[in-house]
Amino acid sequence: MIIAVDGPAASGKGTIAKALADHYGLPLLDTGLLYRAVGVQVLRHHGDPANAADALAACVFEDDLLADSMLRTAEAGDAASKASVHPAVRAALLERQRSFANQPGGAILDGRDIGTVIAPQADAKLYVTASARVRAERRIKEFLANPDEAAILAYQKELEARDERDMNRADAPLRPADDALLLDTSDLTIDAAVQQAIRLVETRISRQQ
Ligand code: DC
């Protein structure tokens, strides 16, 4: 069984993908980490992630880098989004994601283009969204205990710029696959979102049997 979980930054897709992986006992690949590793390498080499040659040169990295806490920063997310626009970067990371998806026994992958490009044959596809305001509040609370309104709005602007880039690039833009099940987590607790995700996957799988 292959489950694809796509959606914008801070929509809850990572948490949901992890909960589904635990529930079904399937291996999980957070594909955003691959792009974040590229972005971080470019920055460490003093390159520009918006430059295709700099970004492509950063596509070979040690697996250790995927566990580096630097990958979790907003700076890494921004560099990843800029580097991921380049078709050569996406091509360089494609095979690793496809072979993870196709491993015997199945897999769960979360990202932006799993249901559309990496695993269009997935048994269940979720497209997880939430309003930009809610996503900004959630993400900023990971860094600041009591963010003020100005900080939330500034972060919301950054998220919206990232959405804009991810949704409007020519190669593998973020969009729901035609057969994706939509899950808006704006008004849901984590538990409720996870339960809903499991219900959606169950419904989709039982229809196929
Ligand atoms: O999911 P994330 O925030 O860790 O992803 C960081 C960036 O990487 C995202 O803004 C766009 C890019 N990305 C992508 O283009 N395709 C994927 N499958 C996953 C991430």
Side-chain angles (χ1 to χ4, degrees):
M1 174 161 79
I2 303 175
I3 303 177
V5 184
D6 290 303
S11 57
K13 68 181 187 314
T15 306
I16 287 172
K18 190 168 182 322
L20 289 171
D22 290 343
H23 183 79
Y24 290 107
L26 288 171
L28 170 67
L29 180 63
D30 170 359
T31 63
L33 282 182
L34 305 177
Y35 291 94
R36 283 170 181 261
V38 173
V40 163
Q41 283 221 123
V42 175
L43 297 179
R44 284 184 179 162
H45 296 158
H46 307 290
D48 175 4
N51 177 289
D54 287 359
L56 185 60
C59 284
V60 179
F61 49 81
E62 299 291 332
D63 275 3
D64 292 359
L65 181 57
L66 299 175
D68 193 315
S69 59
M70 170 70 191
L71 265 61
R72 307 277 170 193
T73 62
E75 205 185 357
D78 185 65
S81 173
K82 288 176 178 157
S84 69
V85 163
H86 309 299
V89 169
R90 306 201 70 81
L93 300 178
L94 184 80
E95 197 40 50
R96 180 176 184 151
Q97 298 173 77
R98 286 235 168 107
S99 53
F100 190 91
N102 292 320
Q103 65 189 288
I108 302 189
L109 294 88
D110 78 272
R112 301 288 187 291
D113 61 342
I114 309 304
T116 51
V117 174
I118 303 297
Q121 79 283 22
D123 301 279
K125 299 177 186 176
L126 293 181
Y127 189 85
V128 183
T129 57
S131 71
R133 168 78 196 194
V134 166
R135 291 189 286 126
E137 280 180 13
R138 277 183 195 155
R139 192 46 66 85
I140 206 162
K141 282 180 183 159
E142 292 172 14
F143 310 113
L144 295 173
N146 286 309
D148 60 20
E149 185 60 22
I152 296 171
L153 285 179
Y155 200 74
Q156 184 176 333
K157 268 190 133 174
E158 275 183 40
L159 274 185
E160 284 171 337
R162 186 130 77 93
D163 290 351
E164 171 79 14
R165 197 182 306 114
D166 293 348
M167 289 174 173
N168 292 305
R169 65 184 176 218
D171 192 14
L174 168 64
R175 65 169 182 82
D178 293 340
D179 52 349
L181 301 159
L182 303 186
L183 175 52
D184 187 330
T185 66
S186 303
D187 300 320
L188 298 178
T189 61
I190 292 176
D191 273 0
V194 165
Q195 289 315 313
Q196 178 97 12
I198 293 172
R199 265 199 303 277
L200 288 171
V201 171
E202 288 294 324
T203 313
R204 179 51 56 93
I205 294 168
S206 64
R207 280 209 197 120
Q208 287 164 355
Q209 281 163 355

